Amino acid sequence: MGLRIAIVGEPTKGKSTGIYPNSQYKIKGLAPEETVLLSFSGKQAPVRGANRLYPKDRKISEGGNHAHITDVKTLPKIIQFISNERPEIKNIVLEDAQYSMSLDFMNRAKEKGYDKFTDIGVAFANWMTEAQNSREDLKVFVIWHPEKDKDGEYKMKTIGNMVDAYLTPEGLMDIILYATCSKGANGVMEYNFVTNNNGIFPARSPIGMFDDIMIPNDLGLVSDKVNEYYN
């Protein structure tokens, strides 16, 4: 079974920063040679040397490690291919994954009726199930935006009540970390992941996996802690 790890946070909270190795900010990050970056928005990887670390000149099936996903229905097969045919890959990062719903919705916005909402929910469940069924040493990091529900509580953002009626994204995740930032004592912004519910962010991780409720926004650190905990 693969592991599904949600990294939830507003823009500029340091979600993507934690993907990439950065010695200046003491971020281990994920090794590019062990990572496939799949972007729903198609934006460039926000890291120095992106074209070298995550080039777009090769397909995933040809040994590439960066692709723009334009049709969410192709994602289960991509995950399955990586799981079965790319044993060197230990991490899949789904950047801006909430767009897997919203872009599909916009493409079908003029359709009448509610079938599109069911289809969008089913498509999400399909690729999440494929992530779960992948090999056990594969981690799928799902980068996602939050929103607040009618009670003012944070949740993973969807395209509305019709999808919420069919599924709860949180229920399909093994670990949920929330990205946050604040000014430190020296006035410099500090970026962190919340590892468990702190009364504000409904983060979730197994008891004892992380030493603190706040950890640096470093997916390399997260990966190491996961491996240490389960192995």
Side-chain angles (χ1 to χ4, degrees), residues 182-190:
S182 59
K183 282 189 178 180
N186 57 2
V188 176
M189 296 299 292
E190 295 180 354

Side-chain angles (χ1 to χ4, degrees), residues 183-210:
K183 282 189 178 180
N186 57 2
V188 176
M189 296 299 292
E190 295 180 354
Y191 297 86
N192 295 285
F193 292 148
V194 180
T195 62
N196 272 296
N197 197 319
N198 65 352
I200 299 175
F201 299 108
R204 185 181 76 228
S205 61
I207 296 174
M209 176 174 283
F210 299 102

Side-chain angles (χ1 to χ4, degrees), residues 32 37 50 141 189 229:
L37 181 65
F141 292 93
M189 296 299 292
Y229 188 86

Side-chain angles (χ1 to χ4, degrees), residues 106-230:
M106 291 304 296
N107 288 335
R108 302 177 60 181
K110 293 184 178 180
E111 291 183 19
K112 298 184 182 298
Y114 300 108
D115 286 351
K116 59 178 173 287
F117 295 102
T118 303
D119 292 345
I120 289 169
V122 168
F124 173 80
N126 284 344
W127 64 261
M128 287 300 296
T129 299
E130 196 60 53
Q132 181 185 38
N133 292 337
S134 61
R135 54 184 159 83
E136 64 178 16
D137 66 337
L138 188 63
K139 302 180 187 72
V140 179
F141 292 93
V142 183
I143 312 298
W144 203 278
H145 287 170
E147 64 182 352
K148 288 187 177 182
D149 62 19
K150 59 183 177 58
D151 298 317
E153 302 291 335
Y154 280 104
K155 62 184 284 291
M156 293 175 67
K157 188 175 185 178
T158 68
I159 56 169
N161 293 334
M162 288 299 298
V163 169
D164 289 346
Y166 294 112
L167 63 85
T168 302
E170 288 86 347
L172 297 176
M173 302 296 174
D174 298 289
I175 297 169
I176 303 173
L177 307 179
Y178 267 77
T180 185
C181 64
S182 59
K183 282 189 178 180
N186 57 2
V188 176
M189 296 299 292
E190 295 180 354
Y191 297 86
N192 295 285
F193 292 148
V194 180
T195 62
N196 272 296
N197 197 319
N198 65 352
I200 299 175
F201 299 108
R204 185 181 76 228
S205 61
I207 296 174
M209 176 174 283
F210 299 102
D211 299 328
D212 300 297
I213 198 166
M214 300 279 280
I215 62 172
N217 63 324
D218 185 342
L219 292 191
L221 170 64
V222 172
S223 180
D224 288 347
K225 288 294 186 180
V226 168
N227 290 337
E228 177 186 313
Y229 188 86
Y230 285 117

Side-chain angles (χ1 to χ4, degrees), residues 81-119:
F81 178 85
I82 293 170
S83 178
N84 294 339
E85 306 296 335
R86 300 283 304 275
E88 81 281 9
I89 299 300
K90 308 301 181 185
N91 313 293
I92 298 175
V93 177
L94 301 175
E95 264 280 40
D96 295 317
Q98 75 283 345
Y99 289 124
S100 66
M101 291 185 180
S102 57
L103 292 178
D104 198 12
F105 172 75
M106 291 304 296
N107 288 335
R108 302 177 60 181
K110 293 184 178 180
E111 291 183 19
K112 298 184 182 298
Y114 300 108
D115 286 351
K116 59 178 173 287
F117 295 102
T118 303
D119 292 345

